[in-house]
Amino acid sequence: GENVGLHLPTLSVQEGDNSIINCAYSNSASDYFIWYKQESGKGPQFIIDIRSNMDKRQGQRVTVLLNKTVKHLSLQIAATQPGDSAVYFCAEGVTGSWGKLQFGAGTQVVVTP
Amino acid sequence: DGGITQSPKYLFRKEGQNVTLSCEQNLNHDAMYWYRQDPGQGLRLIYYSQIVNDFQKGDIAEGYSVSREKKESFPLTVTSAQKNPTAFYLCASYGAYGYTFGSGTRLTVV
């Protein structure tokens, strides 16, 4: 499944399939980017981050891709599991800006059996 | 375990009342932040603090106040001047290994 946009859309994906969540960031000066997962009623949990001198970074079952030319970020989740159901946010930051982050609106991922 | 503790988890406020949300961290982080989250929206920065006794306004500071008297503590007061305070409030801190978020306080005006 794939979804685009900063509003809170819903991405439905079948268990075992790969998920792709997209994010368009706004600040050309942003030099680091973070993906968070948020379950209902809880605080965001760090998933993976990437700095602007990279275009790809891999973690456990997750890959983040960065395209600075079009200011686009994506999170790929391999073999999506029921526990992956949550809202996913991208956040952008600028080194030296006191650690402040700008967040996208998020994407709701629903994993169906 | 090190982390951030927010309390209470749920808070109800009457019109015209001030309420204070607690945020405590034992991560020895210098920087702390308060974010507000509304349904279907991302997090928006209210206030942040880089060191004790210093703090700066974020994007939506009107109607809120903070203090940073201790490194471990960064309480947020929602004043009666905040016209639409019903939201989910998240505290975060930042250190050598990145950001850590608390579990949030859900504030409802009744």
Side-chain angles (χ1 to χ4, degrees):
Chain A
E2 182 172 342
N3 200 293
V4 178
L6 287 176
H7 302 290
L8 189 56
T10 298
L11 173 63
S12 292
V13 59
Q14 200 152 14
E15 182 177 355
D17 286 352
N18 296 336
S19 304
I20 300 175
I21 307 164
N22 294 290
C23 178
Y25 65 92
S26 57
N27 188 355
S28 300
S30 293
D31 59 359
Y32 64 92
F33 306 87
I34 309 173
W35 279 100
Y36 288 97
K37 172 185 179 182
Q38 186 178 27
E39 296 173 312
S40 182
K42 297 183 180 180
Q45 295 174 278
F46 173 90
I47 302 173
I48 193 169
D49 61 0
I50 189 169
R51 298 203 69 91
S52 59
N53 59 352
M54 302 172 70
D55 53 21
K56 180 179 180 179
R57 192 169 186 211
Q58 289 183 290
Q60 187 177 12
R61 281 202 307 119
V62 294
T63 300
V64 55
L65 299 177
L66 174 63
N67 185 332
K68 295 182 288 295
T69 302
V70 295
K71 293 193 287 187
H72 184 268
L73 195 66
S74 69
L75 177 70
Q76 301 176 4
I77 305 174
T80 311
Q81 302 168 0
D84 295 327
S85 292
V87 176
Y88 290 80
F89 294 96
C90 65
E92 57 181 302
V94 179
T95 301
S97 66
W98 303 104
K100 295 182 294 179
L101 296 175
Q102 290 291 329
F103 286 82
T107 297
Q108 174 80 54
V109 172
V110 177
V111 181
T112 56
Chain B
D1 286 354
I4 294 186
T5 302
Q6 288 189 242
S7 62
K9 189 171 177 64
Y10 299 96
L11 187 57
F12 297 90
R13 190 194 93 168
K14 292 183 179 179
E15 296 274 357
Q17 274 186 339
N18 291 355
V19 290
T20 297
L21 284 59
S22 171
C23 178
E24 302 280 331
Q25 54 105 352
N26 60 2
L27 300 164
N28 200 32
H29 286 172
D30 287 314
M32 297 186 73
Y33 310 83
W34 274 104
Y35 288 92
R36 169 182 171 139
Q37 185 175 29
D38 294 284
Q41 297 188 33
L43 282 65
R44 291 182 291 167
L45 183 64
I46 305 173
Y47 267 98
Y48 62 102
S49 169
Q50 292 298 111
I51 56 172
V52 173
N53 292 323
D54 185 58
F55 48 82
Q56 305 294 329
K57 292 181 179 180
D59 300 321
I60 54 164
E62 185 175 352
Y64 299 98
S65 66
V66 294
S67 62
R68 187 84 187 275
E69 297 176 0
K70 298 186 300 181
K71 188 175 186 178
E72 303 77 20
S73 180
F74 191 40
L76 173 74
T77 297
V78 184
T79 75
S80 57
Q82 170 51 238
K83 298 306 178 189
N84 185 22
T86 294
F88 190 49
Y89 291 86
L90 285 158
C91 180
S93 69
Y94 177 74
Y97 298 101
Y99 294 87
T100 301
F101 281 87
S103 55
T105 292
R106 187 165 299 281
L107 173 64
T108 304
V109 173
V110 296

